Amino acid sequence: MEHDVSFREALKVWTRIGLLSFGGPAGQIALMHRMLVEERKWIGNDRFLHALNYCHLLPGPEAQQLATYIGWLLHGTKGGLAAGLLFVIPGMLTILALTVLYAGFHQVTAVQAFFYGLKPAVLAIVIMAVFRIAGKALKTPYLMGLAGLAFIAMFFYQAPFPLVIVVSGLLGYLGMSFCPQYLGAACPQWICGSSTVAETGSEDGIIDILLAKDAEGRFTPTLRRSLKVLVTWGLIWLGPVLLLLFILGPEHVFTQIALFFSKMATVTFGGAYAVLAYMAQEAVAGYGWLQPGEMLDGLALAETTPGPLIQVVQFVGFLAAYRDPGVLNPYVAGTLGALLTVWVTFAPCFLWIFLGAPYVEKLRNNRLMNGALSGITAAVVGVVLNLSLWFGINALFARIGAIHLFGATIPAPHWATADWFGLLLAGLSYLAMKYLKIGMITVLAVCSCIGFLWKLIL
């Protein structure tokens, strides 16, 4: 096996991955595994999975960070930048173009009809994500309980998303790590489950061989290097934010976008679905940047384009600046808002990888870290369930009341305002993807056409 990968060859592969990265993180990770592990053998299976587990610990899109991490292992900083940027750019340009069209023409009847059909299909996709994540994450009754508590906290009590994640990580650490460590065999099975983990062998890839021969210490963590990375990427990320705050002030829409999405970049554990509810509620109720139904429109755009699903943030950033442009042309303001959103969302991803990558090997088989991750992943199930119900209620009912009971706020949709055709379309979309194994893009396209015809007939 050739123990070298040229940077030009890597660029071609990262470009292809960026153009083909449809289907959300599960599909994107599967694509990278097939292209990098199975076909090209750039990285061994065990190291690929270990790198993925590390990326799961980080805030931000794990698939994009995994590409960045593998690119860094191959060619250092320039390799990580190439892999991470090429994973994002195709989808970013596509969503930006579609968002410009949406902003200018979404009041047109035909455009409204087009998006009407997409919303139920997107709702079905989110519901499928709940079951998919739950099947992989909730391996013990203890983790099921954490998922339930996370859902109750967010759906009924509007608990802050960052608080839910922190508490869940702590409870995961205490339950899944502390208990087996100190109680051993006496630890209840409903907490820790089976402690037997199958070990699978893996043929070494090119990266594994490079690590084994790392005579120059390129992968060795040092304090000097860590401080250099922290300062450099900290300035790249937060420098523009501080500049906007100083020049435009805290109330300007660009400053609000920069501050909000910078904060969100530090709490987006568990992938895009987990943080969408937090972002949507803040963008709709907190800032008034867009309407609940428009959030589903943005998610539909992100679902049908390549790249990380979290790129839906640029849809929000565009509309926020487009509707409060100040002295700028609305489309110019919207484009700048979208680019600013992408900047503060993805710049931290490079910081997390370039700063933490040299220490990844020290995290192998770390029981404490794995316990915290298990708790966070369980909470993500409850958060995504909250997201699906929040989207569903707002998409399928024209009027929604509220019942206040024991400090909780319980949504009370008015059934007379229900969109029964939309509900039927969501159910059929779910059945088509779940049992008929019809692809997501196909379902979105068909539902869009059906919704378009239905609205034009009415």
Side-chain angles (χ1 to χ4, degrees), residues 34 74 171 177 182 360 415:
R34 176 173 60 82
L74 279 172
L171 292 175
S177 300
Y182 289 96
V360 170
W415 289 93

Side-chain angles (χ1 to χ4, degrees), residues 3 14 46 97 123 140-141 150 169 171 228 240 296 303 321 325 332 335 338 349 358 404-405 451:
H3 294 169
W14 296 127
D46 288 345
L123 179 60
T140 68
L171 292 175
K228 181 180 178 181
L296 275 178
E303 290 278 14
V332 173
T335 301
C349 297
H404 301 281
L405 185 66

Side-chain angles (χ1 to χ4, degrees), residues 61-351:
E62 62 268 31
Q64 186 262 354
Q65 290 171 330
L66 178 61
T68 304
Y69 175 67
I70 296 175
W72 179 85
L73 286 175
L74 279 172
H75 297 108
T77 301
K78 71 175 183 178
L81 280 172
L85 290 175
L86 289 172
F87 198 91
V88 171
I89 289 174
M92 181 196 75
L93 295 177
T94 306
I95 292 179
L96 180 59
L98 292 174
T99 305
V100 169
L101 294 175
Y102 178 89
F105 301 101
H106 79 282
Q107 296 295 339
V108 178
T109 302
V111 176
Q112 290 179 335
F114 171 81
F115 279 96
Y116 170 79
L118 283 178
K119 292 178 185 179
V122 171
L123 179 60
I125 292 170
V126 176
I127 294 173
M128 283 193 67
V130 175
F131 291 105
R132 184 175 64 248
I133 298 172
K136 295 181 179 180
L138 306 184
K139 299 177 181 178
T140 68
Y142 182 75
L143 295 178
M144 294 178 187
L146 289 184
L149 290 175
F151 168 74
I152 292 171
M154 292 201 68
F155 188 77
F156 294 109
Y157 292 94
Q158 292 75 51
F161 175 77
L163 178 62
V164 171
I165 290 297
V166 170
V167 173
S168 299
L170 177 61
L171 292 175
Y173 158 73
L174 293 175
M176 303 297 292
S177 300
F178 185 87
C179 177
Q181 183 176 357
Y182 289 96
L183 297 183
C187 180
Q189 288 294 300
W190 65 271
I191 293 181
C192 66
S194 174
S195 59
T196 302
V197 178
E199 295 184 0
T200 58
S202 169
E203 179 186 353
D204 284 344
I206 293 175
I207 287 176
D208 302 270
I209 296 172
L210 288 175
L211 283 172
K213 297 180 177 180
D214 184 25
E216 298 179 359
R218 181 163 66 94
F219 301 103
T220 303
T222 64
L223 178 60
R224 179 180 179 181
R225 180 196 175 279
S226 298
L227 291 175
K228 181 180 178 181
V229 170
L230 184 62
V231 172
T232 301
W233 283 95
L235 288 175
I236 290 174
W237 170 24
L238 296 176
V241 178
L242 296 175
L243 194 62
L244 288 172
L245 183 63
F246 177 75
I247 296 176
L248 301 178
E251 301 302 320
H252 196 280
V253 65
F254 286 149
T255 306
Q256 291 179 338
I257 289 172
L259 290 173
F260 173 70
F261 287 106
S262 290
K263 178 179 70 174
M264 202 181 74
T266 65
V267 298
T268 51
F269 296 93
Y273 284 120
V275 77
L276 281 175
Y278 169 63
M279 179 183 69
Q281 289 168 354
E282 287 294 314
V284 173
Y287 292 96
W289 288 337
L290 66 167
Q291 300 300 316
E294 292 178 327
M295 193 66 236
L296 275 178
D297 294 340
L299 184 56
L301 293 181
E303 290 278 14
T304 53
T305 54
L309 187 61
I310 196 63
Q311 287 188 142
V312 68
V313 297
Q314 74 182 86
F315 175 84
V316 178
F318 184 98
L319 290 184
Y322 175 85
R323 290 167 177 170
D324 186 14
V327 298
L328 297 175
N329 175 278
Y331 289 99
V332 173
T335 301
L336 292 175
L339 296 177
L340 174 62
T341 304
V342 171
W343 182 279
V344 297
T345 297
F346 288 100
C349 297
F350 293 102
L351 171 60

Side-chain angles (χ1 to χ4, degrees), residues 391-429:
F391 275 161
I393 290 173
N394 283 280
L396 301 176
F397 294 90
R399 292 180 57 197
I400 305 168
I403 299 174
H404 301 281
L405 185 66
F406 300 116
T409 302
I410 305 172
H414 295 262
W415 289 93
T417 66
D419 180 359
W420 296 108
F421 184 79
L423 183 61
L424 174 63
L425 204 55
L428 293 176
S429 299

